[in-house]
């Protein structure tokens, strides 16, 4: 089996979000679940993807954190197809299907950029009571203060485009930098709301080419903070669109700055056929190529 380590959502190694990628090759089935989990724990990245080719342009992917299997991981998907491209298994300028526990996703590769189709946006609930707001922001290490955009108050919302997250607005880049979550309390809160974690963002000081600055926390899955989060970027795109902050087109998010691993995440949004369609992607840089015996 081929083993890669790739940094997703960056063009340079040691930036972006690293993922382990294991390509089984040929007709080889996936290793046993306990072995895949132990491999992810050994590599110690937030996610490790295991890939099996199941059709001419179809690949089945399973994702493991060091603690458990998850249905989908955006940055590991981008890393996976960069590694498949590097191995000569897929080609630039083509489209493919990724079969994941979260559903089948269309993947397009163009000029080295990999874009993945997200699941339809799913608004679960809004967190807007004083008690719930103070609880959430207190757990995240900052006092709650109202966030407004063009006279409209923004509230945290639970949204999924593959995995549910709390999309949490903060008023400034200073507040974003000051986030210091109580990870045990955040894990308990994530269980309470049935979410992966919290994706905090600010529109403050964003340049024309940058839509928002973000940070992501998912301690329930042994990910205290993540440098780039594709699924949550899809959910944030849906949030910004449904709250009237952005329209159709390309958005760009910066994440990982607080970790010294700056990541640039691209999303596209359109509403053809009366449905909101979101794609998330970027590039990836390969740090390690090798083989693994499982």
């Amino acid at each position: 089996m081929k083993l890669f380590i790739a940094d997703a959502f960056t063009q340079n190694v040691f930036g972006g979000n690293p993922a382990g990628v294991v390509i089984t090759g040929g007709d080889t089935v996936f290793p046993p679940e306990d072995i895949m989990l132990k491999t992810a724990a050994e590599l110690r990245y937030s996610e490790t993807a295991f890939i099996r080719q199941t059709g001419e342009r179809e690949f089945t992917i399973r994702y493991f954190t060091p603690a458990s299997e998850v249905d989908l991981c955006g940055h590991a998907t981008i890393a996976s197809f960069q590694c498949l491209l590097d191995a000569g298994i897929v080609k630039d300028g083509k489209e493919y299907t990724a079969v994941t526990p979260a559903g089948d996703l269309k993947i397009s590769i163009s000029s080295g950029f990999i874009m993945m189709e997200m699941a339809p946006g799913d608004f679960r609930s809004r967190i807007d009571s004083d008690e719930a707001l103070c609880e959430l922001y207190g757990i995240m290490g900052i006092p709650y203060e109202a966030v407004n955009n063009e006279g409209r108050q923004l509230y945290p919302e639970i949204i999924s485009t593959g995995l549910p997250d709390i999309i949490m607005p903060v008023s400034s880049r200073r507040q974003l930098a000051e986030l210091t979550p109580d990870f045990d309390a955040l894990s308990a809160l994530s269980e309470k709301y049935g979410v992966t974690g919290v994706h905090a963002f600010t529109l403050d000081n964003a340049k024309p080419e940058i839509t928002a600055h973000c940070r992501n926390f998912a301690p329930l899955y042994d990910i205290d903070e993540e440098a780039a989060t594709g699924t949550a970027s899809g959910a944030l795109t849906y949030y910004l669109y449904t709250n009237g902050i952005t329209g159709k087109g390309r958005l760009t998010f910066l994440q990982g700055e607080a970790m010294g691993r700056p990541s640039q995440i691209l999303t596209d949004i359109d509403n053809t056929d009366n449905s909101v369609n979101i794609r998330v992607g970027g590039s990836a840089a390969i740090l390690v190529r090798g083989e693994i015996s499982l």
Side-chain angles (χ1 to χ4, degrees):
M1 298 182 188
K2 295 182 183 297
L3 170 67
F4 294 84
I5 295 171
D7 296 328
F9 298 116
T10 181
Q11 295 183 350
N12 304 304
V13 295
F14 306 119
N17 198 359
V21 176
V22 177
I23 303 174
T24 61
D27 296 326
T28 305
V29 299
F30 287 115
E33 287 188 9
D34 66 317
I35 296 299
M36 290 192 284
L37 183 58
K38 288 178 180 178
T39 301
E42 186 79 7
L43 292 177
R44 300 182 184 179
Y45 295 113
S46 58
E47 275 89 6
T48 295
F50 293 81
I51 311 168
R52 179 187 176 199
Q53 186 164 6
T54 47
E56 182 180 357
R57 293 193 181 182
E58 179 185 279
F59 297 86
T60 297
I61 307 180
R62 296 178 66 179
Y63 309 90
F64 287 81
T65 76
S68 65
E69 184 173 11
V70 293
D71 289 344
L72 181 64
C73 175
H75 84 272
T77 303
I78 302 304
S80 292
F81 276 86
Q82 183 66 55
C83 295
L84 289 167
L85 184 64
D86 184 81
I89 299 170
V90 300
K91 295 181 180 180
D92 203 303
K94 302 291 185 181
E95 291 189 349
Y96 298 89
T97 298
V99 179
T100 79
D104 296 356
L105 306 176
K106 293 180 181 177
I107 308 292
S108 60
I109 306 174
S110 178
S111 301
F113 283 89
I114 298 157
M115 300 295 291
M116 57 179 284
E117 177 186 58
M118 304 303 293
D122 179 13
F123 168 83
R124 304 283 178 89
S125 64
R126 178 174 291 113
I127 300 172
D128 54 10
S129 73
D130 289 342
E131 181 182 358
L133 288 167
C134 289
E135 178 187 39
L136 170 61
Y137 284 80
I139 286 172
M140 297 304 294
I142 59 173
Y144 171 69
E145 59 182 59
V147 180
N148 293 281
N149 180 70
E150 297 182 354
R152 178 180 178 180
Q153 186 169 351
L154 301 178
Y155 291 98
E157 294 179 358
I158 297 175
I159 293 175
S160 174
T161 54
L163 294 176
D165 277 293
I166 297 173
I167 305 301
M168 190 186 94
V170 298
S171 61
S172 66
R173 290 182 66 182
R174 175 189 57 79
Q175 263 205 334
L176 187 70
E178 290 175 350
L179 292 175
T180 52
D182 178 334
F183 291 121
D184 289 338
L186 180 54
S187 293
L189 188 73
S190 299
E191 285 190 305
K192 171 184 171 181
Y193 283 118
V195 299
T196 305
V198 169
H199 194 69
F201 77 95
T202 182
L203 303 172
D204 173 52
N205 229 6
K207 299 177 182 178
E209 67 273 17
I210 302 299
T211 309
H213 295 263
C214 311
R215 294 179 70 182
N216 185 275
F217 307 90
L220 182 61
Y221 292 90
D222 281 358
I223 306 168
D224 287 348
E225 183 168 4
E226 194 164 46
T229 316
T231 51
S233 295
L236 174 57
T237 299
Y238 189 77
Y239 177 103
L240 296 176
Y241 182 79
T242 55
N243 279 281
I245 298 168
T246 60
K248 296 185 292 184
R250 170 67 54 90
L251 308 182
T252 303
F253 302 125
L254 290 187
Q255 189 180 329
E257 296 164 294
M259 303 174 67
R261 297 188 69 97
S263 307
Q264 182 168 291
I265 304 162
L266 310 177
T267 70
D268 290 329
I269 184 167
D270 66 63
N271 59 354
T272 56
D273 302 323
N274 295 318
S275 62
V276 178
N277 304 305
I278 296 171
R279 298 192 306 157
V280 173
S283 55
I286 295 175
L287 176 65
V288 172
R289 301 171 180 85
E291 294 182 352
I292 187 169
S293 299
L294 296 177

